[in-house]
Amino acid sequence: MDDLTPDDKARYARHLTLPQIGEAGQAQLKASRVFSVGAGGLGSPALLYLAAAGVGRLTIIDDDTIERSNLQRQILHADQDVGESKSESAMIRLKQLNPSITIEIHSVRLTTENALNLLGGHDIVIDGTDNIPTRYLVSDACEILGIPWVYGSIYQFEGQVSVFNLEGGPNYRDLFPIPPPPESVPSCEDGGVLGVLPGVIGSIQATEAIKVLLGIGEPLRGRLLVYDALEMSMRTLNFSAIE
């Protein structure tokens, strides 16, 4: 594990004073590898906070380009980036935030052909995707590779977060065994989404990832956190692996 440099100690001073993190925990973050599926609504806040926290290596996959309608919620990107690659724009912004970390990007779609190769070697995966088939692909690939992943989803004013495949815990298919018909799950484009909602959910995803990487607190293993922005309420639903 790499030692912290003087610059590290200055940058992460507020982490170092936390007894649950300290220098050993910060060095652990520096040695960690996180994979983000997407650099959009959920990926933006999650990646910003993971980069700021000092996660040493971030890998981003996103084959999309930036549209002006993205800017209402995808805070990694700016108006001048419209038309550019989301993964490349994300890399530039994150390196501006924290030049000391390593960022690898893949401007392609995650597929059954490349998922195992790309996800392999990472400590945890952040789900920033917005489509159901890719989410099942992430779940299956992480189960094969033995990698935990942090699930997040948003729709209109509601968001969900959970941690799957952690230390033998339940997986996505335990919570959602059968994929719903495609037409039954409207996209953000069709149904709309409150711009700040992914900021809340993505930040919770980053929090859960840091907890898992450091082995602290109680991650959302076997629990689904449901957030309602209109009611400003949170509730937690327990679930278990299918026997």
Side-chain angles (χ1 to χ4, degrees):
M1 190 178 299
D2 294 338
D3 293 332
L4 300 182
T5 66
D7 285 346
D8 290 336
K9 292 179 181 180
R11 180 182 291 272
Y12 310 119
R14 300 302 180 269
H15 271 180
L16 302 185
T17 60
L18 292 171
Q20 297 90 342
I21 301 182
E23 289 197 19
Q26 193 62 51
Q28 179 63 46
L29 290 177
K30 187 175 183 178
S32 296
R33 297 166 57 97
V34 175
F35 191 103
S36 177
V37 183
L42 293 171
S44 287
L47 285 164
L48 282 166
Y49 274 111
L50 291 172
V55 171
R57 186 179 187 91
L58 296 173
T59 304
I60 305 166
I61 186 169
D62 198 314
D63 69 335
D64 204 0
T65 56
I66 301 163
E67 300 178 6
R68 186 154 281 113
S69 62
N70 299 148
L71 302 179
Q72 163 248 20
R73 63 200 178 281
Q74 299 183 17
I75 56 174
L76 265 175
H77 315 297
D79 194 75
Q80 66 191 30
D81 303 320
V82 171
E84 300 298 324
S85 160
K86 284 186 182 179
S87 57
E88 292 182 7
S89 170
M91 178 176 64
I92 293 170
R93 175 68 182 92
L94 295 172
K95 290 295 284 186
Q96 290 172 341
L97 176 64
N98 192 345
S100 68
I101 65 174
T102 299
I103 300 172
E104 178 182 333
I105 63 172
H106 301 278
S107 299
V108 299
R109 180 173 292 274
L110 192 71
T111 67
T112 54
E113 288 75 24
N114 64 22
L116 294 179
N117 181 56
L118 293 177
L119 269 60
H122 291 83
D123 300 301
I124 195 167
V125 173
I126 299 288
D127 165 36
T129 185
D130 60 358
N131 71 84
I132 301 298
T134 301
R135 194 163 286 144
Y136 278 93
L137 173 59
V138 170
S139 177
D140 294 342
C142 285
E143 185 170 16
I144 291 170
L145 294 167
I147 302 173
W149 64 287
V150 185
Y151 157 74
S153 70
I154 52 173
Y155 179 66
Q156 294 190 340
F157 297 92
E158 184 177 289
Q160 300 179 351
V161 185
S162 189
V163 178
F164 295 119
N165 203 41
L166 176 63
E167 298 174 350
N171 214 326
Y172 184 70
R173 289 184 182 273
D174 293 314
L175 186 60
F176 303 108
I178 301 174
E183 65 275 8
S184 70
V185 184
S187 66
C188 289
E189 181 179 359
D190 295 329
V193 62
L194 180 67
V196 299
L197 178 64
V200 176
I201 300 303
S203 296
I204 295 174
Q205 287 183 279
T207 303
E208 291 299 290
I210 290 171
K211 287 160 58 181
V212 171
L213 291 171
L214 296 179
I216 61 175
E218 295 292 335
L220 288 167
R221 176 180 177 269
R223 295 184 293 153
L224 178 69
L225 181 72
V226 181
Y227 170 75
D228 188 318
L230 285 181
E231 295 180 357
M232 193 48 66
S233 66
M234 288 188 180
R235 65 186 190 275
T236 305
L237 310 176
N238 296 323
F239 63 96
S240 57
I242 298 174
E243 298 295 335

